[in-house]
Amino acid sequence: MSGATLRHIRHVVATNPVTLAAVLLFAAILLAALLGARLAPLDPLQTDVARALRPPSAVNWFGTDHLGRDVFSRTLVATRLDLLIAVSAVSLSFVAGCAVGALTGYFGGLADRVVGRLVDVLMAFPLFVLAMAMVAALGNTVANIIYATAIINLPFYIRFARAEVNLRRAAGYVLSARLAGASDGRILARVLVPNIMPVMVVQMSLNMGWAILNAAGLSFIGMGVKPPTPEWGIMVAQGASHVTSGHWWVALFPGLALVVTVFAFNLLGDGLRDIVDPRRRT
Amino acid sequence: MGRVSLRFVLGRVLAALPVLAGVVVLTFVLMRLLPADPAAFYATGPAMGPAEVEALRRQLGLDRTVAEQLLIYLRDLGTGNLGRSMVTGQPVTEDLALRLPASVELTIAGFLLALLVALPLGILAATRPDSAIDHLTRVIATTGVSMPTFVTGLVLIFVFYFLLGWAPDPTSRYDLFLPQSPRLTGFLTLDTLVDGNWEQFGAVAARLVLPAATMALFAIAPLARMTRASMLAALQGDFVRTARALGLSPAKVLLTYALRNALIPVVTMMGMVLSYMLGANVLVEKVFAWPGIGSYALDALVASDYAPVQGFVLVVAAIFVVLNLVVDLVYAAVDPRVGLG
């Protein structure tokens, strides 16, 4: 990273304190994901029916659920699983989408048209419903939630990478690389892909929050993660039936964790976009 | 508006057909091929021996080749046969037709509510960039896309039902103790209005508010952001400067000239938002126990009853393709540059 880039980043962060806040928030979430199990004050799986549905107190900061488990510990420990699902899914669609999009955007032809049609069909489905159907078809496991989330995100990455490569395939630096005798493979791998990386990474960070929401939505309707595993979506689902009787804390705190995490990722994505591509700011 | 030619409409309809065909085939692949053997799902009972499983497979047509199965599936589709639900015992087509109005009514209500808030908010933010209302719009937008619909719904239920007691309890679409209106459209707001059943209409509307608001909260963000961005661009256009120089009133410049031009990308965004709402339906219907097609598919999914899920996915995807077609046509009607061909 050059000195000019660092100065630019410092400038962006200084003029937009929200981005700095997002970075700090992101660091805290990352810490919870890495150390959650050690930081948790109580065992997230320990049930104690005598202490069921207690409101937040000094012992149970977020109260206890219908089985007397500590909601704070469960919310904290769940961070890792929720992030793991989203990060794996988005990484998969990022890698596959970049590869397919770059190849079709560079070579064009029949493969480009076929992939374009397939992408059209995938995008003709409401994506959450498609993910739901896929998990139902593939089997109800966490791995399949990851695959389903990756597949419904794939069309966006393919389209984006294709458009960005297509835009640059006749750029001066590509032509000069070709004149210097570089093969198609070398131009793609060494010239084009590194050039589209910054915009793709921004796209990925903007997409991450959505992937978390999607995965949590799937587990909320009872797919993938099985009880008693702590996971935000399933915790909200378990607390949902207690909301109408006033036991709000069981569903609210994991829901809040979800909102804060997605919020942090969205702000971070906006900040990254301002650093990489200031013109797209809305 | 009259410029949208018949040829353009036909061209768009024809272009939607391959996508629709792809949707049908993909739904078939998802539901028939991916689970190793649907019969094995049904055959979990202790009474099911290999012979019974084989009989079930034959009954479901699973002993035929994939191509034959696809043909049978297409023939069934052509005759409106989506199979039979194991849970309700009814044909899936009937079940879906019975529940679809509830989902559509909820989606439309949520969408209109979102437009009602998002358009004025976006316009105000664009006319006063960097003002308090602009920042408010940005905060609402970022918060809106960060809120999972199932959490928003629960928070609304807690505040408006439990704490304030303003909302009726979130378990049905109408008041069970009031006389019901005869079913005409399945849209309870319309049915009760036609019937002149004002008391029930009030009950129905009151039960629609919270789920519709839940749907709207997520939809406001992209709509308001897009309205603001494209209004901002339109207001800097030469035609707005000319209109102002000619002495037209600010309201006329804003609403007639700038807004009509700014609406074009907003219409595209509306299509995306509506499609998102069709998917979000599932979650909102679960939270509010709303008897639509989403909760129907969920119940079936839990019971490993796959015909309703398949029918649901197909119906929603078909609605979505048609919706995008409509957006294309509206786009052509709003933007004079499209649709001359």
Side-chain angles (χ1 to χ4, degrees):
Chain A
M1 207 177 272
S2 69
T5 318
L6 272 180
R7 266 201 305 282
H8 177 57
I9 291 175
R10 206 176 307 140
H11 168 76
V12 168
V13 170
T15 49
N16 192 356
V18 176
T19 304
L20 186 66
V23 170
L24 293 178
L25 206 55
F26 177 69
I29 293 165
L30 215 56
L31 202 70
L34 290 175
L35 302 174
R38 286 176 194 215
L39 295 176
L42 295 164
D43 182 351
L45 298 178
Q46 182 63 52
T47 58
D48 181 0
V49 184
R51 294 179 44 80
L53 293 174
R54 296 271 176 96
S57 65
V59 183
N60 305 106
W61 294 355
F62 290 175
T64 62
D65 67 5
H66 60 294
L67 295 175
R69 295 173 296 196
D70 183 40
V71 177
F72 177 70
S73 300
R74 287 176 67 74
T75 307
L76 194 65
V77 171
T79 316
R80 180 182 294 187
L81 182 58
D82 277 85
L83 281 197
L84 191 74
I85 294 174
V87 171
S88 323
V90 170
S91 310
L92 275 179
S93 36
F94 177 79
V95 172
C98 277
V100 174
L103 285 173
T104 54
Y106 186 75
F107 290 110
L110 182 66
D112 185 28
R113 283 202 295 279
V114 171
V115 169
R117 275 291 161 204
L118 284 178
V119 165
D120 280 349
V121 170
L122 267 188
M123 291 182 98
F125 283 92
L127 295 175
F128 184 75
V129 173
L130 182 62
M132 207 177 98
M134 267 190 294
V135 178
L138 291 168
N140 203 349
T141 64
V142 175
N144 287 334
I145 283 207
I146 294 176
Y147 295 138
T149 309
I151 289 175
I152 61 170
N153 281 313
L154 198 56
F156 298 101
Y157 287 93
I158 293 180
R159 277 200 175 171
F160 214 75
R162 186 197 171 279
E164 294 289 325
V165 165
N166 209 15
L167 207 71
R168 291 172 169 81
R169 55 186 288 206
Y173 53 84
V174 174
L175 295 180
S176 84
R178 187 168 296 141
L179 268 179
S183 63
D184 284 334
R186 195 180 162 80
I187 290 176
L188 264 175
R190 290 296 178 84
V191 180
L192 280 171
V193 169
N195 253 294
I196 67 166
M197 247 336 108
V199 272
M200 293 301 292
V201 169
V202 169
Q203 201 59 24
M204 183 161 85
S205 68
L206 285 171
N207 187 220
M208 193 72 79
W210 193 76
I212 296 175
L213 284 187
N214 188 75
L218 285 176
S219 59
F220 175 77
I221 59 173
M223 314 203 78
V225 185
K226 295 194 175 55
T229 312
E231 192 277 340
W232 294 332
I234 205 168
M235 287 170 72
V236 175
Q238 284 169 346
S241 50
H242 302 292
V243 165
T244 42
S245 55
H247 304 104
W248 50 272
W249 54 88
V250 188
L252 184 85
F253 286 111
L256 210 59
L258 206 50
V259 174
V260 169
T261 308
V262 176
F263 197 65
F265 272 109
N266 285 342
L267 287 180
L268 204 64
D270 283 347
L272 271 183
R273 184 184 47 201
D274 292 350
I275 291 171
V276 171
D277 187 1
R279 277 165 309 169
R280 278 182 209 260
R281 195 167 177 184
T282 51
Chain B
M1 295 271 177
R3 260 182 293 214
V4 184
S5 69
L6 188 65
R7 217 177 105 200
F8 175 79
V9 175
L10 272 179
R12 282 300 154 102
V13 171
L14 285 179
L17 285 182
V19 175
L20 207 55
V23 163
V24 169
V25 171
L26 188 59
T27 316
F28 171 79
V29 170
L30 265 179
M31 286 300 157
R32 294 286 159 100
L33 299 182
L34 286 180
D37 192 341
F41 276 103
Y42 302 131
T44 43
M48 295 292 270
E52 283 81 3
V53 171
E54 199 44 50
L56 189 59
R57 290 180 50 107
R58 207 168 309 124
Q59 190 196 331
L60 292 170
L62 292 172
D63 53 339
R64 318 229 183 168
T65 64
V66 172
E68 277 178 321
Q69 287 188 44
L70 179 61
L71 282 179
I72 294 170
Y73 175 59
L74 289 179
R75 190 194 63 201
D76 284 351
L77 266 189
T79 53
N81 178 7
L82 291 173
R84 195 174 274 274
S85 162
M86 303 271 209
V87 172
T88 62
Q90 299 293 315
V92 169
T93 320
E94 275 179 33
D95 277 347
L96 285 175
L98 195 68
R99 290 168 173 83
L100 188 61
S103 295
V104 174
E105 186 174 41
L106 175 59
T107 309
I108 291 177
F111 184 65
L112 291 182
L113 205 59
L115 279 187
L116 219 59
V117 177
L119 287 185
L121 213 56
I123 294 169
L124 279 175
T127 49
R128 298 168 185 75
D130 281 323
S131 67
I133 186 110
D134 188 18
H135 290 304
L136 180 74
T137 308
R138 189 168 297 144
V139 169
I140 291 179
T142 314
T143 317
V145 291
S146 306
M147 294 278 288
T149 42
F150 52 93
V151 174
T152 319
L154 287 174
V155 170
L156 290 181
I157 288 175
F158 178 67
V159 172
F160 291 101
Y161 168 68
F162 183 79
L163 285 186
L164 300 173
W166 293 353
D169 72 317
T171 47
S172 80
R173 285 174 77 198
Y174 55 88
D175 193 332
L176 298 165
F177 299 106
L178 289 174
Q180 284 187 52
S181 299
R183 180 188 168 100
L184 292 171
T185 58
F187 295 98
L188 289 186
T189 42
L190 285 184
D191 287 358
T192 48
L193 269 184
V194 171
D195 194 30
N197 191 345
W198 294 107
E199 241 182 318
Q200 185 67 280
F201 174 76
V204 166
R207 279 163 175 77
L208 189 58
V209 170
L210 283 193
T214 307
M215 301 268 272
L217 272 176
F218 199 96
I220 285 171
L223 288 175
R225 264 184 117 141
M226 187 49 94
T227 309
R228 176 188 178 274
S230 79
M231 265 310 260
L232 216 50
L235 284 173
Q236 283 159 2
D238 290 340
F239 61 96
V240 168
R241 192 189 54 197
T242 309
R244 281 197 183 125
L246 288 172
L248 294 176
S249 72
K252 192 162 175 69
V253 172
L254 196 67
L255 296 179
T256 313
Y257 288 83
L259 185 62
R260 174 130 190 243
N261 275 277
L263 270 185
I264 295 161
V266 178
V267 168
T268 315
M269 185 54 87
M270 283 182 200
M272 289 169 65
V273 164
L274 256 178
S275 79
Y276 170 78
M277 291 174 99
L278 279 175
N281 244 345
V282 178
L283 294 170
V284 177
E285 283 179 12
K286 181 169 161 74
V287 171
F288 287 93
W290 196 258
I293 55 171
S295 55
Y296 171 63
L298 267 189
D299 290 345
L301 203 57
V302 172
S304 295
D305 184 6
Y306 287 94
V309 182
Q310 187 174 18
F312 166 73
V313 173
L314 200 64
V315 165
V316 173
I319 293 177
F320 185 33
V321 172
V322 173
L323 208 70
N324 274 326
L325 189 67
V326 172
V327 167
D328 269 358
L329 299 180
V330 171
Y331 197 94
V334 178
D335 186 349
R337 284 165 303 184
V338 185
L340 290 169

